[in-house]
Amino acid sequence: MFDLSGKNILITGSSRGIGKAIAAGVAEHGANVVISSRKAEACEAVAAEVSQIGTGQAISIPCNISQKDQLQALVDQTRESLGQIDVLICNAAVNPFYGSLHDIPDSAWEKILQCNITSNLWLCQLVIPEMRERQDGSVIIVSSVGGYKGSTDLGAYSISKAADLQLIRCLAKENGPYNVRVNGLAPGLIKTDFARALWENPETRQRVEAGYPLRRLGDPEDIAGAAVLLASPAGNYITGQT
């Protein structure tokens, strides 16, 4: 049920952290994987590493998700190199500001909404039509537990992730009749470079771990299994869920 042999999976923000772990996870189950982030060297290094896992290919296609023309190029190059896109995983996100919503600069606010919401929609608009045409496909958008609760320091990021939750539900309703599934993942505090400022703060880490049932923070690898589920035949009757 978890076999992804021959499936082509495009993952944004996959040169490190959760995206890299998901890439390794789907590769282990036979998928061909596109590694993508802004830095070409990082993408190439991870693609070389992931290509040693499983039986599929791993290729590198750098992309800045805030640029629509670069997203188009990412999709075009994926199709040229691998063929159809069977699974799209929108993982890339930004958070350039930590503090009160009263103090956030317009530039930071706009960048967060652009990268964390609009770019996901753009990528879905580019990829989902081919899935609808063949009546098969899976889209996974990585949100956050921050999308479910308020925050005094991560307000804009939390707002963007809450919007992703609704983007998932709406796209699932629109595309369900075409057998295209759209789901999300909402990780808690995971030990990634992206969240380093939080989990390296002893007070924050202690408070968060005390509230988690497992009494520990997550590792990127802890997220990969859920992505494999949603990408594979095991998840064929799951849509609109996070």
Side-chain angles (χ1 to χ4, degrees):
M1 289 191 299
F2 298 94
D3 185 20
L4 291 168
S5 298
K7 298 295 185 181
N8 301 323
I9 301 184
L10 169 57
I11 311 172
T12 64
S14 47
S15 65
R16 60 180 185 168
I18 290 171
K20 179 181 177 181
I22 290 174
V26 296
E28 187 177 340
H29 290 267
N32 301 314
V33 184
V34 175
I35 304 297
S36 184
S37 70
R38 285 181 303 161
K39 298 180 180 178
E41 287 186 9
C43 291
E44 290 165 6
V46 172
E49 185 179 335
V50 172
S51 67
Q52 302 302 310
I53 304 170
T55 57
Q57 303 178 58
I59 64 172
S60 164
I61 306 177
C63 175
N64 182 338
I65 61 164
S66 68
Q67 304 298 315
K68 197 171 189 178
D69 59 337
Q70 290 197 32
L71 289 176
Q72 180 70 67
L74 171 62
V75 171
D76 291 344
Q77 290 177 45
T78 298
R79 289 173 177 151
E80 289 171 10
S81 299
L82 297 178
Q84 70 184 37
I85 299 170
D86 298 293
V87 180
L88 169 65
I89 302 179
C90 300
N91 171 69
V94 301
N95 183 41
F97 181 79
Y98 184 82
S100 169
L101 283 171
H102 293 288
D103 301 321
I104 188 170
D106 288 350
S107 58
W109 170 260
E110 290 163 2
K111 183 174 183 178
I112 290 169
L113 300 190
Q114 170 66 58
C115 293
N116 297 1
I117 309 169
T118 304
S119 294
N120 288 342
L121 175 61
W122 282 347
L123 203 43
C124 289
Q125 288 173 332
L126 291 170
V127 174
I128 288 179
E130 69 165 274
M131 294 179 171
R132 287 169 62 133
E133 187 174 341
R134 64 174 181 269
Q135 301 224 334
D136 185 51
S138 174
V139 175
I140 302 169
I141 295 174
V142 179
S143 179
S144 167
V145 294
Y148 290 101
K149 56 189 179 182
S151 172
T152 57
D153 301 307
L154 296 168
Y157 179 78
S158 297
I159 289 166
S160 73
K161 292 302 185 175
D164 280 333
L165 299 175
Q166 188 67 348
L167 180 62
I168 290 159
R169 288 186 284 260
C170 292
L171 287 174
K173 290 283 279 188
E174 284 193 32
N175 295 289
Y178 301 91
N179 196 40
V180 177
R181 299 181 297 107
V182 184
N183 293 289
L185 298 172
L189 184 50
I190 308 298
K191 289 183 286 185
T192 63
D193 287 340
F194 184 80
R196 185 175 295 276
L198 296 176
W199 59 267
E200 281 194 340
N201 181 312
E203 291 181 6
T204 300
R205 179 166 183 162
Q206 184 177 12
R207 174 175 51 79
V208 171
E209 286 183 328
Y212 285 177
L214 294 177
R215 296 296 190 268
R216 69 172 178 87
L217 301 185
D219 293 310
E221 292 73 21
D222 292 323
I223 308 301
V228 171
L229 165 69
L230 295 174
S232 70
N236 273 349
Y237 202 57
I238 304 172
T239 195
Q241 306 303 309
T242 299

